[in-house]
Amino acid sequence: MAGRVFCLGNGESRKDKDLYWLRQHGKVYGCNAIYRDHPDLIDCLTAVDHGMIHEVYHSGMANKIPCFFRGWSKVPAHTYDAIIRDGLGDEELKKAEELGGIVSNERGDSMEYVLHGANLKGIVNVLKKDGGITEKNINHATIKVSWIKEPDYSFGLEAYSVEQNGTRRDFGWACGATSGYVAVKQEKPCEIYLIGHDINSHNDKINNIYKSTKHYTAKDNSPTPGINWINQWKTLFQWFPEIKFYKVNEYNDSRDKVNGPILEWQGIDNLEYIDYSRLDSLLK
């Protein structure tokens, strides 16, 4: 066991921080939309929600670095037409595509694809009396398709996640702790640094750099309850006591819920809270 991993969340404590210097000290693992701003910073990317997953794949990131996705099952290309049509005629299919019922990258000569979402038949199953297709149900759901391009470094979490008792399954964790688990399995590090995993919020609004952007919650929403994140990270700490985990806070002086210790993590021997100044000194 050797080396370090920096697990970057999208909490606002890392906003405007120059983190590219971390690359010389270890591997950098990111979550979801971090690739939009920092495609060259991360060594591995994780996404768990279908919309975000296909956005990431369509961006081409999985042709450059390993990407781990939930529910990522590749299917032979020759099955596509039968699955996507499911009894729809040419006119219905064309209308569904025009109205955005299918979100896809270019098929090209791809031999496999991944599909998530509603059945198109359920989206365009209401017809007008004159035979035209009504727009009812359109855009309430979409089918998301990613045609697999080479080189392909995309992997499904289901085949990768193994509990301590040997059971193989996707834990259903949020993206942050999932990226931490992937980092443990991929890198076998001695240290993991949690940066931008704020857990809580500074105020009564959601804490996320990408709030009010595509696939994210609106900026005026209340904070996302952090209890699931807390429990999932705690499980990871306990599963791997040989790894030292550092939660990097901007100030680490308990001035608010972001910059203080997590009550539920009390007594975790392999966890330490540090600020950016301490991080800098540890890496020198």
Side-chain angles (χ1 to χ4, degrees):
M1 178 182 294
R4 302 184 182 97
V5 172
F6 304 97
C7 286
L8 306 188
N10 295 325
E12 294 168 25
S13 68
R14 74 160 180 83
K15 187 177 181 180
D16 300 326
K17 294 285 192 299
D18 180 5
L19 299 176
Y20 281 83
W21 67 282
L22 296 176
R23 289 181 57 84
Q24 63 185 301
H25 298 288
K27 293 295 183 71
V28 180
Y29 276 57
C31 298
N32 294 322
I34 189 173
Y35 85 92
R36 296 176 186 169
D37 302 319
H38 304 292
D40 299 322
L41 170 61
I42 48 179
D43 296 296
C44 182
L45 184 63
T46 301
V48 298
D49 298 318
H50 292 165
M52 195 71 242
I53 287 170
H54 288 275
E55 178 188 321
V56 169
Y57 197 85
H58 294 178
S59 76
M61 286 301 295
N63 305 128
K64 302 172 184 176
I65 63 171
C67 293
F68 289 82
F69 301 138
R70 173 160 294 144
W72 192 249
S73 299
K74 299 169 188 175
V75 181
H78 67 80
T79 66
Y80 178 76
D81 288 339
I83 290 176
I84 205 72
R85 281 182 177 275
D86 191 25
L88 292 179
D90 290 343
E91 182 183 353
E92 294 171 301
L93 183 61
K94 181 179 179 181
K95 187 66 173 180
E97 291 173 340
E98 290 174 352
L99 293 172
I102 303 174
V103 177
S104 177
N105 59 345
E106 187 69 30
R107 177 170 181 169
D109 58 357
S110 298
M111 301 299 292
E112 293 180 305
Y113 68 97
V114 177
L115 182 150
H116 292 115
N119 186 291
L120 266 187
K121 194 172 183 179
I123 300 176
V124 294
N125 63 354
V126 182
L127 302 179
K128 292 180 179 178
K129 289 183 179 180
D130 63 1
I133 300 175
T134 71
E135 297 188 11
K136 184 178 180 180
N137 293 336
I138 295 292
N139 291 331
H140 291 289
T142 58
I143 287 180
K144 300 170 183 66
V145 180
S146 286
W147 292 98
I148 303 302
K149 307 296 182 182
E150 297 296 338
D152 173 47
Y153 305 115
S154 65
F155 304 92
L157 289 168
E158 291 77 5
Y160 196 78
S161 304
V162 182
E163 291 194 36
Q164 297 303 86
N165 63 7
T167 302
R168 186 178 296 277
R169 69 176 182 87
D170 178 4
F171 308 140
W173 288 358
C175 195
T178 298
S179 73
Y181 177 84
V182 172
V184 169
K185 291 298 185 178
Q186 285 279 93
E187 309 298 339
K188 297 179 172 54
C190 58
E191 299 173 350
I192 291 183
Y193 294 79
L194 281 62
I195 300 174
H197 289 282
D198 292 352
I199 306 297
N200 295 304
S201 182
H202 300 281
N203 49 40
D204 62 351
K205 304 297 183 184
I206 189 169
N207 176 357
N208 195 291
I209 291 173
Y210 300 104
K211 58 192 176 186
S212 286
T213 67
K214 190 174 183 179
H215 304 308
Y216 279 85
T217 304
K219 63 181 181 180
D220 291 327
N221 280 23
S222 299
T224 303
I227 189 61
N228 286 337
W229 302 331
I230 290 170
N231 290 337
Q232 291 159 12
W233 278 110
K234 183 177 181 179
T235 297
L236 196 66
F237 302 156
Q238 294 174 331
W239 276 357
F240 301 99
E242 71 277 12
I243 298 175
K244 182 64 177 288
F245 291 85
Y246 295 90
K247 186 179 186 300
V248 182
N249 293 329
E250 188 169 12
Y251 300 105
N252 203 35
D253 57 6
S254 297
R255 66 179 61 189
D256 54 32
K257 291 182 179 180
V258 173
N259 288 288
I262 305 297
L263 177 64
E264 292 84 353
W265 292 352
Q266 287 184 356
I268 302 294
D269 293 333
N270 57 329
L271 170 67
E272 182 178 340
Y273 298 89
I274 61 174
D275 59 17
Y276 282 94
S277 175
R278 175 65 173 150
L279 172 66
D280 183 63
S281 65
L282 284 172
L283 300 184
K284 285 184 177 178

